[in-house]
Amino acid sequence: MAHDRPQPLPDDERWREAIELANIPTLLLVTTQLTGDRRWLDDPYRPTRGRGLSDNDTGGLSGELQAEVRSAAFDAIMAWRHGTPVAIADPDPELLVEMMSVSLGETVPPEYAGMIRADLAHRTETATAAPKIAPSPGFRVIIIGAGMSGICAAVRLREAGVPFTIIEKHDSVGGTWLENRYPGCGVDVPSHLYSYTFAPNDWSRYFALRDEIYAYFRRVADDFGVAEHVRFRSEVKRATYQVDSQEWQVDVAGPDGATETLLANVLISAVGAFNKPKMPNVPGLERFTGPSAHTARWPAGGIDLDGKRVAVIGTGASAMQVVPAIAGTAASVAVFQRSPQWASPFEKFQVPVPEPVQFLLREFPLYHAWYRIRLSWAFNDRIHSVLTRDPEWPHPDRSINAANDGMRRALTRYIESELGDRQDLLPRVLPDYPPFAKRMLLDNGWFRALRRDNVELFAESVIEVRSNGVVSESGELHEADVLIWATGFDVVHFLVPLEIVGRSGRTIHEVWKGDDARAFLGTAVPDFPNFFCLYGPNTQFGHGGSLISVIERQMHYVLDVLQQMFSAGVGAIEVRADVHDEYNARVDAAHEHMIWTHPGSNTYFCNSKGRVVVNNPFRIVDVWQATNTANLGHYVTEPALAITAGANRD
């Protein structure tokens, strides 16, 4: 395991300052690996189990024990800086699982060893590039979209030596983080998880806000030479698979509106899902005379909210960020809620990462690696079992199992404490469905904002828009100067409005019957050879996790498919219908035991038929294992035809 030493070496006191602020459970892991001394995994140093989504920075240890850990970590790190090799450079699987279990204060199953080991290598090796593969001369990939998924696909293809072109409708990379710029916009996944394995970042906050996230994706695109492969202000109008030539014919409208046809051997959709704002069908939308905007279409110049009467329609993730952000500026904020949301304590909301800790994360890859791996457990598979329905549970109206019921009680106590002297709000803000039946939100100061004198919550929908405000279900007119529509996205109609035509001449939307999208591993679809869908159906983890990790796993799988294609002389692959159908049957069967099919779970995860099309029901480790190596036997293959390079292979 390689560990680069920073040049020039900072002085010891800067390291000491950083270690004094570092996370104790992470320091225990680092010290164990640096020194090989297993006593740091035993009592009295074993951390207690962290609560909720906490980093458990102290590990629950006394001040005296913390000081002992920090002193030992400082000595070990100083020795490493001055040339002492890492004592356990490559921990065996059993030790990795033991180390994780000890640091978390809970048992981590042994099947996680491979994922831990891979993540540890990603964060500490100097060479993390994808292996070079050997495409035929003239072989080319077209990627649709230059957001999070498109950038990942481009970086990995470039590292592997596969030529590609990205078609992007905007004039910049960034996707969702380019489009969303509303007040308070940020991420609800820890910043150190919300980054590519190949591009760590010096995050200024534990949970970054929009501008920093957008800057990160732009920097990655610049650092890895992605932008030079992008056709900006261009849009794919239609992509048609050509059976005779084993390639995709892609019709692209350029900045001037003229259409050009490009050819590619492989087509990758990286259009994402959170790009189609969902506006309610409310009469009179056009009548309102003041500023009116969906959060995802916030004007580049912003909206003047100072002293204005603002109506916010919706109480989902965007609203939970918007309302606290504008409550101190607007004269009044009226919030209209169809249903309340569960929100978890957010102890590091708006908390900056101290500069010494940024230094430690940046200069000491082993600390960064273990810090991130511990975070990934808390925000990933830790609660999967809590979301599995217990058929014997006697209270299905409020929860799905004993642990889920305990979570409900804890969250209820938290909401009550946040409301303070405004317990009159409790009936309106306390959900009547189990925690996680809808997306679990993080509390950005939502409940405290509702306590403000100038904020009022109406537990009713808006049924009409008038020139001077909105009318709620009770028939009352609520006058407003500004309307903010925090009504979410249409995420069940995947790939809309792209027109992608497969082998048989049918569009993918015809195959999916509108909102019933299905794909093998969320990636490949029968009748659509050489086509891969990033962030496809059933790829979002409803129990946590970073979407970036999902996209990276999909690209790992796609590159393995391509490598095997080239090695075997295959020119076209198409996932077998029986493989695809069996996988989706397993997805649906697994969902029958998960919370998202619980009666009353009416959420954006489901399509018009009630089928869960967005969430993946499996553990993240299961998906990691399923995407680790592609099986070409899952595909119908055709020998490669000769590829002729031409002007239309841009």
Side-chain angles (χ1 to χ4, degrees):
M1 186 177 292
H3 295 276
D4 286 350
R5 285 133 175 91
Q7 297 292 334
L9 292 175
D11 61 37
D12 290 359
E13 285 308 308
R14 189 169 188 196
W15 284 89
R16 190 183 299 278
E17 182 185 13
I19 292 167
E20 283 301 310
L21 297 175
N23 176 272
I24 287 290
T26 306
L27 287 180
L28 288 169
L29 297 172
V30 166
T31 306
T32 299
Q33 199 170 343
L34 288 178
T35 66
D37 190 343
R38 298 282 296 268
R39 72 187 179 98
W40 299 109
L41 302 180
D42 296 327
D43 288 331
Y45 308 109
R46 294 172 71 94
T48 58
R49 186 178 188 272
R51 300 185 62 181
L53 302 177
S54 168
D55 286 353
N56 197 20
D57 283 329
T58 68
L61 303 186
S62 68
E64 183 179 354
L65 288 174
Q66 288 183 56
E68 189 177 345
V69 171
R70 296 187 195 281
S71 176
F74 176 80
D75 291 343
I77 293 171
M78 292 305 98
W80 167 79
R81 290 178 62 230
H82 294 289
T84 301
V86 178
I88 309 176
D90 188 13
D92 62 46
E94 292 77 13
L95 179 57
L96 285 173
V97 171
E98 180 187 359
M99 292 171 72
M100 269 289 281
S101 297
V102 168
S103 76
L104 295 164
E106 59 187 294
T107 300
V108 174
E111 59 261 37
Y112 284 82
M115 193 166 73
I116 296 170
R117 192 173 198 174
D119 208 356
L120 194 62
H122 274 309
R123 297 290 167 166
T124 55
E125 297 283 351
T126 55
T128 60
K132 290 287 184 180
I133 55 182
S136 304
F139 187 95
R140 180 164 292 276
V141 176
I142 285 180
I143 303 167
I144 308 174
M148 173 203 302
S149 301
I151 293 171
C152 179
V155 170
R156 287 313 196 191
L157 287 171
R158 188 171 184 265
E159 290 174 340
V162 179
F164 64 90
T165 297
I166 304 178
I167 311 299
E168 169 54 52
K169 65 182 179 180
H170 293 300
D171 58 4
S172 174
V173 302
T176 293
W177 296 105
L178 168 66
E179 296 177 343
N180 285 265
R181 56 172 70 91
Y182 57 84
C185 182
V187 70
D188 57 5
V189 174
S191 303
H192 297 95
L193 292 182
Y194 204 77
S195 50
Y196 303 114
T197 57
F198 52 80
N201 190 53
D202 285 343
W203 295 105
S204 69
R205 297 172 186 253
Y206 287 103
F207 290 81
L209 296 178
R210 179 266 176 187
D211 288 354
E212 187 172 11
I213 301 167
Y214 174 55
Y216 169 72
F217 287 117
R218 290 199 60 170
R219 178 181 68 78
V220 172
D222 289 342
D223 288 352
F224 287 87
V226 171
E228 63 196 60
H229 296 272
V230 183
R231 289 192 171 201
F232 290 110
R233 292 185 293 130
S234 300
E235 194 165 356
V236 172
K237 294 299 184 181
R238 182 182 176 93
T240 307
Y241 184 71
Q242 307 295 310
V243 176
D244 294 342
S245 58
Q246 297 177 333
E247 59 192 355
W248 284 91
Q249 177 180 298
V250 184
D251 299 329
V252 179
D256 59 358
T259 299
E260 180 182 2
T261 298
L262 306 179
L263 297 176
N265 307 93
V266 167
L267 182 67
I268 296 178
S269 167
V271 299
F274 289 89
N275 54 14
K276 300 181 292 293
K278 185 164 57 178
M279 286 290 291
N281 186 21
V282 180
L285 282 170
E286 72 287 349
R287 299 179 200 158
F288 189 68
T289 56
S292 176
H294 191 282
T295 52
R297 294 295 181 265
W298 199 258
I303 298 176
D304 180 14
L305 302 176
D306 190 14
K308 300 294 194 298
R309 299 168 300 175
V310 181
V312 178
I313 299 91
T315 53
S318 299
M320 194 159 284
Q321 294 181 340
V322 166
V323 172
I326 69 172
T329 300
S332 65
V333 181
V335 183
F336 297 90
Q337 169 187 277
R338 286 196 306 172
S339 63
Q341 304 280 352
W342 288 110
S344 179
F346 198 0
E347 68 175 24
K348 288 196 171 176
F349 172 59
Q350 298 283 23
V351 175
V353 181
E355 193 283 328
V357 175
Q358 291 185 47
F359 163 81
L360 186 61
L361 289 162
R362 179 177 63 250
E363 301 294 341
F364 190 27
L366 189 61
Y367 179 87
H368 187 285
W370 277 118
Y371 177 75
R372 183 185 184 278
I373 291 168
R374 289 189 71 256
L375 272 182
S376 69
W377 174 258
F379 279 81
N380 290 357
D381 282 353
R382 182 184 196 181
I383 65 166
H384 187 271
S385 62
V386 180
L387 309 184
T388 303
R389 293 158 63 181
D390 177 0
E392 304 301 321
W393 180 243
H395 308 293
D397 55 320
R398 71 186 192 209
S399 52
I400 61 168
N401 56 41
N404 187 253
D405 200 56
M407 180 180 287
R408 181 188 186 93
R409 292 193 301 271
L411 290 173
T412 300
R413 290 193 299 270
Y414 170 73
I415 293 172
E416 290 171 343
S417 68
E418 288 295 293
L419 292 178
D421 60 2
R422 289 297 311 275
Q423 296 300 309
D424 59 294
L425 289 169
L426 188 62
R428 279 178 277 170
V429 301
L430 189 64
D432 59 2
Y433 53 85
F436 277 93
K438 296 184 180 182
R439 178 184 178 186
M440 178 61 70
L441 305 181
L442 295 182
D443 179 16
N444 291 40
W446 171 255
F447 300 108
R448 295 181 186 180
L450 296 181
R451 292 165 49 183
R452 295 177 61 103
D453 292 339
N454 68 328
V455 177
E456 189 167 2
L457 176 66
F458 297 92
E460 52 184 330
S461 298
V462 167
I463 61 171
E464 183 185 353
V465 178
R466 294 184 183 174
S467 62
N468 60 339
V470 297
V471 178
S472 61
E473 288 177 302
S474 64
E476 181 181 359
L477 171 64
H478 306 265
E479 294 188 351
D481 304 308
V482 178
L483 302 185
I484 298 177
W485 300 90
T487 47
F489 299 85
D490 173 9
V491 297
V492 298
H493 291 89
F494 285 84
L495 305 188
V496 169
L498 292 179
E499 188 174 359
I500 299 177
V501 183
R503 178 190 296 274
S504 68
R506 294 185 300 167
T507 68
I508 201 163
H509 301 300
E510 290 173 327
V511 171
W512 284 345
K513 300 176 183 177
D515 65 355
D516 196 18
R518 302 166 190 255
F520 175 59
L521 299 176
T523 307
V525 184
D527 199 46
F528 293 84
N530 294 7
F531 172 70
F532 302 103
C533 183
L534 302 183
Y535 193 12
N538 297 115
T539 53
Q540 177 174 303
F541 291 108
H543 63 287
S546 168
L547 183 57
I548 289 182
S549 67
V550 176
I551 302 305
E552 288 206 60
R553 290 313 298 174
Q554 286 188 282
M555 274 310 300
H556 175 91
Y557 177 83
V558 168
L559 285 174
D560 198 48
V561 170
L562 294 180
Q563 186 174 36
Q564 292 188 48
M565 282 179 63
F566 300 146
S567 297
V570 170
I573 62 158
E574 178 184 338
V575 67
R576 288 166 35 196
D578 62 318
V579 171
H580 168 275
D581 294 348
E582 189 275 335
Y583 172 78
N584 281 280
R586 286 196 290 117
V587 167
D588 292 344
H591 269 306
E592 287 301 313
H593 302 285
M594 300 299 292
I595 193 168
W596 305 294
T597 55
H598 183 77
S601 296
N602 181 19
T603 173
Y604 74 86
F605 303 148
C606 300
N607 66 8
S608 58
K609 303 172 185 65
R611 179 176 174 268
V612 179
V613 295
V614 176
N615 283 6
N616 188 297
F618 307 121
R619 299 176 304 170
I620 292 177
V621 69
D622 299 324
V623 173
W624 188 90
Q625 291 170 344
T627 54
N628 206 32
T629 304
N631 180 352
L632 224 56
H634 289 157
Y635 293 84
V636 177
T637 63
E638 298 174 4
L641 304 175
I643 298 174
T644 304
N648 56 352
R649 291 184 172 275
D650 187 77

